[in-house]
Amino acid sequence: MLALLPLITFTVLFLFIYRYNYCWRSSLLWAAITWGVLLTFITEVLSLFKLITWGWIAGIWGLLSLTLIFAYFRTVKPGRVTLTQDSQHGIGQNGIGQSSPSTNGQNPRDRNDQISGFLLVLLGGIGFLVAIVGLTAIVAPPNTWDSMTYHMSRVLHWMQHHSVAHYPTHIPRQLYQNPWAEFTIMHFQLLSGGDRLANLVQWFSMIGSVIGVSLIAQQLGATIRGQIFAAVVAATIPMGILQGSSTQNDYVVSFWVICLAYFIILTLKSRVSWINIVGVGATMGMAIVTKATAYIYTFPLFIWFSLIMIKRLGWRWWKPILAVGIIVISINLGHYIRNFDLYGTPIATASEELRYTNEIFTTSVLVSNILRNIGLHLGTPIGIINAISNKIINLFHLVLSVDISDPRTTYTGKFGIPGGLSTLGINATENNTSNTLHLVLIVFSIIACFIQRQGRKQRYILSYLAVIISIFILFCFLLKWQWWNSRLHLPIFLLFSAVVGIVLSQIKLRQVANVIAVVLIITSLPWALSGRERPLVGANSILNTSRTEQYFNSRSRIRLGYLGAIDVLKSNKCTDIGMYLGDNDWEYPLWILLQQQTDSPVIIEHINVKNASASKSELSTNNSKFIPCAIFSTKPEPDQTNQGEQITYQNRSYTQGWSKDKVKIFLSQK
């Protein structure tokens, strides 16, 4: 029940903001932004004093909830005012402008719009789809590869250390990767005592993103029909459906990017207001503290915002730009300081990860990356179509005289269309699923927008489209092609969804648009029901498969090794465990399964770390005094501390006592 405290705080924040704002959707976004910044501040402050504990987290959220509830009922309900339109506090010639109440607390644009029976059916379809994803998120445990290596593992290290300070680890991504999604998971995990709520962070972000997309469509001039169509397009993105029940962070960063775009469009359409400037700064900061690719997603949006400021404010443009910069840096300051202290730079990567960025920058390489990234969304259930698409892109590369799998522009492996020639059925994996139908609709919508007559409303849409396209081009310019880029495209597809919804709603033959919307919902069900990592139906359904087995759904061949290692550690009554791992090995299952099967406190630390984080050994929980009773190893190669059947740590020898596949247990020689 304590896990409800952060949600109670969010709910009261929403009610408080909605009291002053005519729009429930806008109020939800503002509540999420406020809540997200609060969570960041709470985490960073408690971390400074090593107070990230169940008691402190529960106490602070409880106090916040009670304070907000008291304030809500003590304050007098005012007439609602528009927090997002022309009557906002604006930066005018004489400074801050005045606000005025809206009519009946409603959005004037929506006052005369009605929702037809068909649109209600579409809303029901969205709700059903989101509910399926939510059910999956609640029932299934975290089991994504990245979550097993660093997303979830770092959460347990922070909980053990009572701090989010950097610590020695064989997996550097646990340190330098931007942490906000995991901050949130940590709060829920501390309060609930387990990981059953961990997937909900992405699911809530999915709901927020769909709502945010509908708001963007509204601000771009869409009717209620266009807004609902935009929501349908956003909710049915295959990659989004699969991400919505995981512990990745792609949907979380997508939500903040959607919020950022919304506040910039508000600024474009109304007077420059401090409330919007704060919204821009907070959402940009939250996006960056969530995922490093947000620098790419937000940069063109920030340039757009800056141009608006220059046009509106003249020589005073620097004031809102400076304010946004201060907010962004403030939100990210803790993570920047930790990275700078360890790596000498606030935006850090481990040396082996530098391969993610392109090593050559030419027009031909840019065209190649654009084609190959588009190719990631050409995968279909029919193998021969995939083979044809693959051949066409290869032919283009012959014309460009560019090696399609050049290691200087390709992260690993060789280019290919997801699914390949042998495909029969959908490729429902959260790592490289194609958004084929949505890609077709996006191309159609771009063409339709550029051939329509120009008008004020159309200029907004074209400006918005130009920014989204520039995000995609910048992405292709900077980053190497890799098999997993399609999940990094999720924010781009969501941003496009608003325009697609508008275009569909403007088709003269309404039945055609209606059929497309229904087809999107129906064709999205296989991804919602049969995701490879967390299927709801079929022989491996999460409804009839043990939670322990589900942890290994994406890597079943290692399950027996890990379970066997747990049995050995239990039989030796060992709960102080050293880990000797590779930089991409699974760590989280060891933690969670051992914690579930023992009543004694479990302490797990990385030992014999050779990378830069080794300098942080004194900051770990009693690490200078930490003497493990056993060492869990998945690292095959011997070195000076690992002589094949023996590991040396703290001048002690540990001899291999058990092994299965690549998993080994080394026991202390007393």
Side-chain angles (χ1 to χ4, degrees):
M1 295 297 292
L2 287 175
L4 294 177
L5 290 175
L7 300 180
I8 292 172
T9 301
F10 173 83
T11 302
V12 183
L13 277 171
F14 164 72
L15 293 174
F16 223 126
I17 295 169
Y18 186 53
R19 173 178 284 180
Y20 295 89
N21 190 2
Y22 64 79
C23 178
W24 68 267
R25 289 178 291 175
S26 173
S27 299
L28 275 174
L29 297 194
W30 269 113
I33 294 163
T34 307
W35 188 88
V37 173
L38 273 173
L39 186 141
T40 306
F41 179 77
I42 291 168
T43 304
E44 294 288 1
V45 171
L46 290 181
S47 177
L48 289 175
F49 304 99
K50 292 194 173 183
L51 294 177
I52 295 181
T53 63
W54 173 87
W56 276 95
I57 295 293
I60 288 177
W61 285 116
L63 181 62
L64 278 173
S65 297
L66 291 174
T67 302
L68 286 169
I69 291 171
F70 177 79
Y72 179 78
F73 286 107
R74 289 286 294 177
T75 53
V76 179
K77 184 177 181 180
R80 286 189 185 150
V81 296
T82 58
L83 294 179
T84 53
Q85 295 297 320
D86 291 338
S87 59
Q88 292 176 312
H89 295 285
I91 305 175
Q93 291 293 333
N94 299 318
I96 303 298
Q98 299 296 316
S99 62
S100 60
S102 63
T103 306
N104 299 324
Q106 292 180 324
N107 183 349
R109 177 182 287 112
D110 293 344
R111 203 176 305 145
N112 298 320
D113 288 332
Q114 296 181 352
I115 301 180
S116 66
F118 176 73
L119 294 181
L120 288 174
V121 171
L122 291 185
L123 288 174
I126 294 173
F128 177 70
L129 185 61
V130 170
I132 292 175
V133 177
L135 176 63
T136 304
I138 292 172
V139 174
N143 59 10
T144 304
W145 187 301
D146 284 351
S147 296
M148 299 296 98
T149 57
Y150 76 94
H151 285 301
M152 295 300 296
S153 301
R154 73 199 306 201
V155 168
L156 294 181
H157 280 289
W158 294 338
M159 290 167 59
Q160 177 173 277
H161 301 155
H162 310 305
S163 167
V164 296
H166 287 349
Y167 53 87
T169 174
H170 295 286
I171 306 172
R173 289 183 296 172
Q174 293 179 0
L175 306 182
Y176 65 77
Q177 292 280 20
N178 302 28
W180 190 83
E182 293 88 345
F183 281 180
T184 313
I185 292 172
M186 178 180 65
H187 281 242
F188 283 117
Q189 197 138 336
L190 273 168
L191 295 174
S192 67
D195 60 11
R196 289 189 175 273
L197 303 181
N199 293 326
L200 292 183
V201 177
Q202 285 261 93
W203 183 64
F204 286 136
S205 298
M206 177 185 185
I207 295 172
S209 296
V210 172
I211 293 171
V213 165
S214 73
L215 276 172
I216 291 175
Q218 178 198 65
Q219 293 304 318
L220 292 176
T223 61
I224 286 292
R225 177 178 169 86
Q227 295 169 46
I228 293 175
F229 272 55
V232 169
V233 176
T236 55
I237 298 171
M239 179 57 77
I241 292 170
L242 295 169
Q243 287 286 318
S245 62
S246 77
T247 44
Q248 296 268 43
N249 52 19
D250 299 285
Y251 231 134
V252 183
V253 72
S254 297
F255 171 67
W256 298 123
V257 171
I258 291 297
C259 292
L260 173 61
Y262 171 64
F263 284 112
I264 291 176
I265 295 171
L266 284 177
T267 304
L268 174 66
K269 296 190 64 181
S270 62
R271 295 176 65 190
V272 178
S273 66
W274 283 115
I275 191 73
N276 280 350
I277 291 169
V278 170
V280 169
T283 52
M284 186 172 176
M286 292 304 298
I288 290 173
V289 81
T290 299
K291 195 174 182 72
T293 46
Y295 290 106
I296 296 174
Y297 307 140
T298 61
F299 181 72
L301 287 165
F302 180 68
I303 294 299
W304 191 25
F305 173 76
S306 300
L307 292 175
I308 295 170
M309 294 300 98
I310 293 172
K311 182 178 180 180
R312 295 280 182 85
L313 302 179
W315 65 271
R316 289 173 294 121
W317 64 269
W318 63 270
K319 295 181 180 179
I321 301 299
L322 178 62
V324 168
I326 291 173
I327 294 171
V328 170
I329 292 173
S330 298
I331 291 173
N332 286 268
L333 187 60
H335 186 60
Y336 285 162
I337 291 173
R338 289 188 292 273
N339 276 345
F340 187 84
D341 177 57
L342 181 59
Y343 297 106
T345 175
I347 305 171
T349 61
S351 58
E352 63 269 24
E353 299 295 334
L354 294 176
R355 295 173 296 169
Y356 279 125
T357 57
N358 283 317
E359 298 172 30
I360 51 175
F361 301 92
T362 65
T363 303
S364 296
V365 166
L366 176 59
V367 174
S368 167
N369 275 351
I370 290 173
L371 290 172
R372 291 189 296 164
N373 277 281
I374 291 175
L376 289 172
H377 300 285
L378 297 180
T380 71
I382 304 172
I384 188 64
I385 296 178
N386 301 337
I388 292 172
S389 299
N390 190 77
K391 186 66 175 178
I392 291 172
I393 293 178
N394 271 275
L395 288 174
F396 270 110
H397 278 76
L398 289 177
V399 174
L400 292 170
S401 299
V402 173
D403 180 0
I404 197 169
S405 299
D406 189 335
R408 295 173 297 174
T409 61
T410 306
Y411 175 64
T412 185
K414 295 182 178 180
F415 170 79
I417 300 294
L421 179 61
S422 61
T423 295
L424 184 60
I426 66 169
N427 179 37
T429 171
E430 63 188 12
N431 294 315
N432 64 342
T433 287
S434 296
N435 304 319
T436 311
L437 287 179
H438 290 72
L439 175 64
V440 172
L441 289 174
I442 288 170
V443 173
F444 167 76
S445 299
I446 292 173
I447 295 172
C449 286
F450 278 99
I451 64 176
Q452 287 181 2
R453 293 181 179 179
Q454 293 292 319
R456 184 179 180 183
K457 189 183 299 183
Q458 191 68 14
R459 288 200 302 272
Y460 293 147
I461 296 175
L462 292 179
S463 299
Y464 178 73
L465 274 177
V467 173
I468 307 173
I469 292 170
S470 67
I471 292 173
F472 179 65
I473 292 174
L474 183 63
F475 182 98
C476 296
F477 178 75
L478 293 176
L479 300 183
K480 290 182 177 181
W481 180 90
Q482 56 173 304
W483 277 103
W484 311 282
N485 271 353
S486 55
R487 67 181 178 85
L488 304 181
H489 297 158
L490 180 59
I492 300 172
F493 274 84
L494 284 165
L495 289 168
F496 271 123
S497 296
V499 177
V500 175
I502 293 172
V503 171
L504 289 178
S505 69
Q506 294 174 346
I507 294 177
K508 292 182 179 180
L509 293 175
R510 294 168 70 91
Q511 292 82 357
V512 173
N514 292 348
V515 169
I516 292 173
V518 172
V519 167
L520 284 175
I521 292 175
I522 293 175
T523 55
S524 68
L525 292 178
W527 280 271
L529 297 171
S530 304
R532 186 180 302 176
E533 287 81 9
R534 294 171 295 281
L536 262 178
V537 299
N540 297 322
S541 170
I542 59 176
L543 300 177
N544 54 32
T545 304
S546 71
R547 193 170 180 86
T548 296
E549 190 173 344
Q550 289 179 53
Y551 282 111
F552 300 93
N553 270 4
S554 58
R555 201 181 176 193
S556 58
R557 66 182 182 275
I558 70 169
R559 178 169 58 88
L560 293 179
Y562 276 70
L563 293 178
I566 298 294
D567 290 337
V568 172
L569 294 170
K570 281 179 58 183
S571 65
N572 283 273
K573 298 181 180 179
C574 178
T575 55
D576 292 354
I577 301 159
M579 283 186 298
Y580 192 62
L581 309 175
D583 61 6
N584 199 32
D585 288 346
W586 282 30
E587 176 183 338
Y588 185 70
L590 175 67
W591 282 89
I592 199 70
L593 296 178
L594 193 59
Q595 287 177 344
Q596 290 174 358
Q597 298 186 35
T598 181
D599 295 328
S600 302
V602 175
I603 298 177
I604 301 178
E605 299 281 4
H606 290 253
I607 57 101
N608 292 339
V609 175
K610 301 296 192 297
N611 57 51
S613 69
S615 63
K616 295 298 177 182
S617 59
E618 75 281 359
L619 299 180
S620 296
T621 304
N622 298 321
N623 198 63
S624 58
K625 302 176 183 178
F626 176 67
I627 303 297
C629 50
I631 294 174
F632 175 93
S633 176
T634 55
K635 205 166 185 177
E637 70 278 5
D639 58 25
Q640 64 269 26
T641 58
N642 173 14
Q643 303 303 322
E645 294 186 356
Q646 190 175 72
I647 292 180
T648 302
Y649 176 68
Q650 297 281 35
N651 297 319
R652 290 197 178 199
S653 294
Y654 294 79
T655 302
Q656 181 176 315
W658 179 90
S659 69
K660 184 173 181 59
D661 300 327
K662 294 183 178 180
V663 179
K664 301 174 184 177
I665 296 295
F666 294 79
L667 299 173
S668 175
Q669 300 302 298
K670 299 180 182 179

